[in-house]
Amino acid sequence: MEVCCTSGCPRRRIFIATLDNEKSYVYDRDTGALTKGSVDLETLARQAAEDEIRKAALEDGILTQAQTNAEAYLLKFFTALGYRTVLFEE
């Protein structure tokens, strides 16, 4: 028996990259006496940080590691189901 996982399989992707709001905080925020300050400043800073987290994960090869892990899991799964040959194709 043979099973083949081809391009019809779900593509690997990052679903979420977020800060832990319980463990993050604004260290210092000085809006100045004569300025209104940006109401969205903290939101924009968090969004920029989350973008950097996503970028760092991609640069570190998280998608390649996800592919390797998924193939290892599926290989064990299909082998346990009795398949002797498992092929992964792009």
Side-chain angles (χ1 to χ4, degrees), residues 18-28 42 45-47 49-50 53:
T18 148
L19 294 173
D20 184 343
N21 289 322
E22 297 294 320
K23 295 181 180 179
S24 61
Y25 61 93
V26 175
Y27 176 75
D28 185 24
E42 187 174 340
R46 287 183 185 278
Q47 289 172 346
E50 290 171 353
I53 290 169

Side-chain angles (χ1 to χ4, degrees), residues 37-71:
S38 174
V39 176
D40 298 324
L41 182 62
E42 187 174 340
T43 299
L44 295 172
R46 287 183 185 278
Q47 289 172 346
E50 290 171 353
D51 289 344
E52 288 299 315
I53 290 169
R54 183 177 293 104
K55 181 180 167 187
L58 290 169
E59 288 174 358
D60 285 347
I62 196 169
L63 296 181
T64 301
Q65 187 62 51
Q67 182 74 28
T68 300
N69 293 348
E71 288 178 7

